[in-house]
Amino acid sequence: MRRAVLTCALSLLALTGASQAADYSKAVWSVASGQSGQTPLMDTNVMGEMVMRAWVAPRGVPVQGLMFIYMPKLSTNHWAVMLVEPQGQPGEFFGARSLNFVRAAKKDGQTANLYTLGDGMFKGLYLMDGKVKDKRGQMMHFLMLLTPQMAQQEPDPADFLK
């Protein structure tokens, strides 16, 4: 009897979607690409070489901040998206259920792990998941999505630690 109840409960969870992780990839890209209509707090263009846009608490993405970095003078493939204090699992923000570990770094309690995304909207791109100290010495969690061109092959996570 217990086995039948357990099987029924698991089936119900699967049918209701409660067992599936969130997928914020479309919302992240909508904000980062400017399609969401949300006005960035910061919008800079440094002589056509680097474009940076930053949003605070963008609608539809459970983060404190989102930053888009683009280097059009190098190529259209040189871009990155950084999320500050994400509330969820790393793969949820980029639609990935599979993260392939590349390397890690640790220094003074700070950590940075580098992965490639194994599936989803951004399959094949790099994901840096880190906890670093901000200017006040407080720990800050960040996720950074990088194109291979932006990462210039495999970036060293240690470069992100102070």
Side-chain angles (χ1 to χ4, degrees), residues 8 10 20 28-29 36 48 58 64-65 69 76 78 85 91 97 110 112 118-119 129 131 133 143 152 161:
C8 183
L10 290 174
Q20 293 184 1
V28 166
W29 186 247
S36 71
Q64 285 184 9
I69 303 159
T76 56
H78 280 77
E85 294 297 343
R97 292 171 303 209
Q110 302 177 94
D119 60 356
D129 181 2
K131 291 189 177 159
K133 291 180 183 171
L143 296 174
Q152 295 179 355
L161 307 181

Side-chain angles (χ1 to χ4, degrees), residues 2 44 51 67 69 90 101 103 106 118 124 137:
R2 285 184 187 173
T44 62
V51 175
M67 178 177 267
I69 303 159
F101 181 77
R103 67 173 78 149
K106 190 172 187 175

Side-chain angles (χ1 to χ4, degrees), residues 23-111:
D23 181 354
Y24 300 109
S25 59
K26 288 186 176 98
V28 166
W29 186 247
S30 178
V31 173
S33 64
Q35 297 171 4
S36 71
Q38 298 182 52
T39 305
L41 178 67
M42 176 186 83
D43 191 350
T44 62
N45 185 335
V46 182
M47 298 173 20
E49 292 190 24
M50 182 182 291
V51 175
M52 291 188 298
R53 294 186 181 111
W55 293 262
V56 174
R59 286 185 313 276
V61 185
V63 297
Q64 285 184 9
L66 186 151
M67 178 177 267
F68 178 69
I69 303 159
Y70 176 48
M71 302 177 87
K73 211 156 197 183
L74 294 176
S75 83
T76 56
N77 294 321
H78 280 77
W79 57 267
V81 176
M82 181 174 176
L83 306 177
V84 178
E85 294 297 343
Q87 303 300 309
Q89 297 300 313
E92 293 177 340
F93 291 94
F94 304 110
R97 292 171 303 209
S98 170
L99 302 178
N100 304 313
F101 181 77
V102 176
R103 67 173 78 149
K106 190 172 187 175
K107 178 181 175 186
D108 301 327
Q110 302 177 94
T111 60

